[in-house]
Each structure stands twice: as C-alpha cells, then as structure tokens.
Amino acid sequence: MFPTDAQHISFPLSDEASHYSNQPQEDLPKELPILPPTHFLSLARNPLLTTTVSGGHPFDTSTLAAADFDVDARSGFMPPTVPVVKLTGEQALWEATLDSALGDGQGLTLGELEQSQQERDKSEKWRRGVELLPVISITPIRNSEVALRRAHHVLTFILHLYIHSQPPLPADAQPEQTPFVIPPPVSIPLMELSKELSLPPILTYSDNVLYNWSLHNPQLPVSPSNLKIETTFSLTPSEKHFYLTSARIELRGVEALEIMRSSMDEAFIGDSLALRRIAVYLRRLANVIEELTALLMAVRDECDPKVFYNEIRPWFRGWHAGGREWLFEGVDEEDARKYARMSGPSAGQSSLVHALDVFLGVDHAKPHGPGSGHSSHADPTFLMKMEQYMPRHHRAFLQHLRGSYQTSVRALITAAAAGGRPPTPEMKTMEEAYDAAVMALKKFRDGHIRIATLYIVSQARRGVKEEPQHEEPVVRGTGGTSLVPFLKECRDNTLRTTIASERERHTQTQQDA
C-alpha cells in the first residue's frame, strides 16, 4: 500500500489552460498544457539508477517521482537517451560472442529449418564457443542500471540463439523429458543480473524494444523517425520494422500518459469544471489511441508476414505446454525450477497498454463462473503474469495507478451513477468521452487481432496446407496463450468496460429478475 499522502499530488493547470476550460469543447486547442517542471512526468531521470534490490532495499515508489517509476516526459517508458550499446571490460566478451553469431551479416540458422552442413557446422561451432566461455562476474556493473540492462539484452539474445539454433529432437524423443540445457557461462551471470533487475532470465519486450535502439543522427532528439534498431536475430528489415513499430507506439503513447495525469488531477477535485476538463482529456485520449492503432497497422508496410512467421518469430519462443523445459546449469536448484517454464517476449509486456487498461478500468481478471458479473483476483491472469516480465520501475508505476482510486475517472463516473440521480450535463458529457476512449482501445485490440491473424494464424494454416498430413495446430502467442481466443477475450473485456455496456447489463438483470 502507498502512504495516504502519496495517493494524489495536485498540480494546477496553467492560467491559459483554465481559460480554455471555460470555452466550448470544440474550441479547445489541440495541444495539452505544458506540464509543470515539478510534475513526475517532467522530472529528469537519474542516468545511473543504482539498485540494491538483492539486498532487500528496493526503490522508493511512494511518490510520483519519475526517477522512481522510470517514466520520462519526452519518451514515456522508453529511456530519453540512447541505451548502452556496448559493454566494456570483462563483459565485452559477451558482446564479442553475440557479434560472432550475428556480425558476419548472415547470422545463425534456426534449428527447426532445413540446414546445410555448413550452416549446421557454423551453429555447432558457435554453441561450443559459448560453452567454453569463462563464467564472468557481474560485480563491475552491479551498480549501473543501464549496464545491467545491456547485459540482460546481450545474454538473453545469446540464450535464445543458443537454444533455437539447435536441431530438433529425433521423432521418438520425449520433449518433456529432454530439457534445453543452458551452460553455466550464460546461466550463472544471467541469473545474477536478472535478480538485480527483478526480471526473468529470458528475452523480454524491454530487451527487444525499450533498450534495443540508437539514433540515426545523435545530434537530433529521440523521435520515431530518428530511431534505429541495434540487434536482430534474422538480420532482416522485417525484424527491424517489427521492433520499430512497437517503439513508435511507445513514443506516441507519451501523450496518453500526460492525459492520464491531467485527468487524475481533475478527478481528485471532481467539481463541474473538473468534469468538463476530464471530458476534453478523454476525447484527446481517444484520438491518441486511434493514432496508436494506425501505427500498429503500419507494421504491414515493411514487415513481411511470411518472413516474420518463419524466420523471426521462432527465435522469440519460450517454454510452451508439452515443450522442452529450460534447465539453467550451475544455478541454485530453486531458481532452476522456478525458471524452467518461462514465456517469450510478447506485446502483453508493454507497460503502455497495461497503463491504458488500468487508467480506463478495463478488468481482465477471470470471472468466478458463467454469468458471473464479479471478477476473481485469486488467480493471476495472463496479462498480470506478463507484468513480471516488465522492468520493475514500470511495474511499480502500474501498481500506483491501481492504488489511485481517489483519482480514478471510472470510479468518479460509477460513484455518481450509484447515487441514483440523473447525470448532470457535465457528467453525461464525461461519460460519453470516457466511452469514446474505451471504444478506441477496443478498436486498437481489433487491429491487434487482424495483425495476429495475418502474421501468425494465416501463416500457420498455410504451413498445414503445404503439409496436409499434419493436423491444424493450436496457434499460440510467444507468451504461450491460445492466441486468437486470448486476444478476443481482451477485446471483449474492453467493450464490457463502457458505461453504456454496463447500463445494458444492469437493465437486463432487472428485466430477468
């Protein structure tokens, strides 16, 4: 629980913004007021976020300081400056190992694909080199958050290359009894630095997207057009564009974070003027989410579906039901058991999308049973599990949003409706704006379903048609879910969040009684 005095920190709008709030909605400017320099989204982050998490002293997240949540006013959940692109000292040997797999412009070949003898020899030689590496300590970089992030990025790329370049098991082998064995030169330092970062020892969305970029022109600021991707498995333009799509969504989402802050500030006040301002912000949020959807759909511009499905996506895989577990050699037995079954990187690990859900009150918790209108929080849903794959500062940010009930826009609306009185004009306008924002998020998820169908479901079916003796597989996401049913469930949960849908359910319940 957060301290009571940390539930809300009020930052008044500028005089100019107050003037606009008294104008009709259509006359408001398109730009939001400039954030006060003391606001948590305006604070500069500490470039070296030292940590003593393993010693039991995590960061203070009881205030809205950006250094605590690692959220930046310019770049949101992405760092505002270029991540570390090369480790030095002893850890440079990890960089050299990764370069030896990818640096010749050809890379390694997926083990599940048909390989030439030359390709098999190359992969086996590289894996042998990994096994012969010394076990390198993380002590020299332990106090540098940015270096730890780079080390996690490098070692998890090595991990996935090591596992997925291996040829498939013989037909008579039993996958459940034949784990992938990760050698100590990778498993030991990766487990240590994963504990420091409070991340699983596997490739995550943050490794692929948040901390996997540099700038075309270092003299220019961070912007969607100035980003370039540093590391890919396939060395294809399609993979670079796939990561860039997510990075551009993250950057465009910065305005959504600003809108959340402004709306929560006004919800704390809750008077008629605040309701009018919230309605303006929610309309703006709907527009931003529509732009996020357009960016998502633009993945089709330069990412080939066939290349993605066959040459890129298999590198991401973690454990899946009926598959081979991951055995980390040389680590504590409890850790080895804990991390034998992990999910691969997934869009479900994006803190931005989770933040939109939390802010708008979208509930993805499992219901008690058919027909139940109540949610059960006893078992974590897949999306809640995915939060464990996020940087710990961003998890804390989401936890704080959930704890900010006093400034919840949805709570403000539902509390007014619970009073039984007809909604005021201001409340009615805010409800309509809220539903518009929720529907925009629902359409974002519609887009995600279309992309998943194009890039994964259709490609899987095409493979079945080419090999008719095989049954149509259950298509799973890299996080391990049954992909399309899961995405549809998220979409339907979003639709049920609208006030209009809630009123329809309430009316139906009364009629059935």
Side-chain angles (χ1 to χ4, degrees):
M1 290 292 294
F2 294 98
T4 303
D5 60 0
Q7 292 296 323
H8 176 76
I9 297 179
S10 180
F11 294 97
L13 295 172
S14 64
D15 292 339
E16 181 183 16
S18 299
H19 166 72
Y20 286 131
S21 298
N22 290 296
Q23 296 185 43
Q25 182 173 318
E26 59 271 15
D27 295 335
L28 289 171
K30 293 184 177 180
E31 296 301 321
L32 285 172
I34 297 175
L35 294 176
T38 54
H39 193 273
F40 80 102
L41 285 176
S42 295
L43 296 178
R45 74 172 65 191
N46 186 340
L48 293 179
L49 297 172
T50 58
T51 176
T52 54
V53 169
S54 61
H57 302 289
F59 283 109
D60 175 20
T61 55
S62 61
T63 69
L64 290 179
D68 291 339
F69 290 124
D70 203 28
V71 177
D72 189 86
R74 298 155 292 177
S75 57
F77 293 109
M78 291 180 64
T81 56
V82 177
V84 173
V85 294
K86 287 292 180 184
L87 296 169
T88 59
E90 289 182 286
Q91 291 73 33
L93 190 53
W94 297 334
E95 298 277 5
T97 301
L98 182 59
D99 287 343
S100 67
L102 305 174
D104 62 358
Q106 295 182 348
L108 301 183
T109 304
L110 280 161
E112 65 183 46
L113 299 180
E114 185 175 349
Q115 296 181 329
S116 67
Q117 186 61 48
Q118 182 179 0
E119 289 171 333
R120 284 196 297 270
D121 291 344
K122 177 184 176 181
S123 294
E124 289 175 7
K125 180 180 178 181
W126 181 82
R127 289 195 300 273
R128 179 61 175 161
V130 171
E131 294 161 5
L132 294 175
L133 287 172
V135 176
I136 299 172
S137 172
I138 70 166
T139 298
I141 62 173
R142 192 181 298 275
N143 288 330
S144 172
E145 184 84 1
V146 291
L148 289 170
R149 289 172 180 171
R150 176 64 187 179
H152 194 275
H153 168 92
V154 173
L155 284 176
T156 53
F157 262 84
I158 291 173
L159 170 68
H160 282 246
L161 286 163
Y162 183 88
I163 286 178
H164 296 304
S165 66
Q166 296 180 33
L169 292 174
D172 59 350
Q174 296 182 346
E176 297 92 336
Q177 299 179 12
T178 314
F180 288 111
V181 179
I182 299 103
V186 175
S187 62
I188 293 176
L190 179 55
M191 194 68 69
E192 290 179 357
L193 67 90
S194 292
K195 289 180 179 179
E196 289 292 328
L197 291 169
S198 294
L199 280 175
I202 195 171
L203 194 73
T204 67
Y205 176 89
S206 61
D207 295 302
N208 276 352
V209 177
L210 301 184
Y211 311 133
N212 186 24
W213 56 273
S214 60
L215 299 177
H216 288 292
N217 185 345
Q219 305 304 315
L220 297 177
V222 176
S223 69
S225 61
N226 198 26
L227 292 182
K228 66 177 181 179
I229 296 300
E230 282 293 306
T231 311
T232 62
F233 290 105
S234 63
L235 307 178
T236 61
S238 288
E239 187 173 355
K240 290 182 178 180
H241 186 70
F242 180 73
Y243 298 153
L244 278 173
T245 296
S246 293
R248 289 164 179 163
I249 289 173
E250 293 289 342
L251 290 179
R252 187 64 191 92
V254 172
E255 186 176 354
L257 297 176
E258 296 173 355
I259 293 170
M260 291 179 202
R261 183 275 307 172
S262 300
S263 299
M264 291 171 70
D265 284 351
E266 296 298 337
F268 185 76
I269 299 171
D271 60 13
S272 60
L273 181 59
L275 300 186
R276 293 180 58 192
R277 288 172 172 169
I278 292 172
V280 174
Y281 293 133
L282 290 172
R283 293 286 182 187
R284 289 290 308 281
L285 181 60
N287 292 338
V288 171
I289 297 174
E290 288 173 0
E291 292 182 35
L292 298 183
T293 303
L295 289 170
L296 172 65
M297 303 309 292
V299 71
R300 300 172 295 181
D301 295 346
E302 297 180 47
C303 183
D304 181 89
K306 186 176 180 180
V307 172
F308 174 79
Y309 185 78
N310 294 298
E311 301 179 33
I312 300 170
R313 186 172 180 265
W315 292 110
F316 301 161
R317 290 179 186 148
W319 175 84
H320 61 86
R324 301 171 67 180
E325 294 186 340
W326 294 27
L327 176 60
F328 289 85
E329 275 194 324
V331 305
D332 181 86
E333 186 176 338
E334 182 179 348
D335 288 334
R337 285 196 303 269
K338 179 179 179 181
Y339 295 113
R341 300 180 175 187
M342 295 179 290
S343 298
S346 162
Q349 297 168 11
S350 167
S351 301
L352 173 62
V353 178
H354 283 245
L356 289 169
D357 275 339
V358 173
F359 173 73
L360 291 172
V362 179
D363 186 2
H364 295 291
K366 298 176 182 178
H368 283 300
S372 173
H374 302 283
S375 296
S376 170
H377 297 276
D379 297 322
T381 65
F382 172 76
L383 286 176
M384 293 180 70
K385 291 178 182 177
M386 286 298 97
E387 289 190 18
Q388 301 309 308
Y389 292 77
M390 297 177 186
R392 66 194 183 284
H393 306 83
H394 300 167
R395 296 199 302 267
F397 179 88
L398 295 175
Q399 290 165 5
H400 191 92
L401 278 182
R402 290 192 184 96
S404 301
Y405 184 83
Q406 290 179 337
T407 54
S408 166
V409 172
R410 182 175 177 79
L412 185 65
I413 295 172
T414 55
R421 296 186 301 273
T424 64
E426 292 85 0
M427 182 62 72
K428 184 66 175 175
T429 299
M430 189 176 75
E431 287 181 8
E432 292 171 352
Y434 171 83
D435 277 3
V438 174
M439 288 303 296
L441 185 57
K442 181 262 183 187
K443 291 175 183 176
F444 177 87
R445 290 197 153 105
D446 285 335
H448 194 180
I449 292 171
R450 291 196 294 273
I451 293 299
T453 300
L454 173 64
Y455 280 84
I456 302 173
V457 178
S458 297
Q459 302 304 313
R461 289 172 178 166
R462 180 174 300 175
V464 171
K465 289 179 181 178
E466 293 173 355
E467 300 183 49
Q469 71 275 19
H470 291 170
E471 296 181 4
E472 184 164 334
V474 176
V475 180
R476 297 189 178 276
T478 50
T481 59
S482 296
L483 184 60
V484 173
F486 166 72
L487 294 178
K488 287 183 177 180
E489 182 182 3
C490 291
R491 188 266 316 275
D492 295 343
N493 290 341
T494 306
L495 180 60
R496 280 194 291 270
T497 304
T498 63
I499 301 302
S501 294
E502 186 169 301
R503 285 209 173 99
E504 288 177 7
R505 292 194 300 274
H506 180 68
T507 300
Q508 186 63 47
T509 300
Q510 289 182 325
Q511 291 174 349
D512 294 342

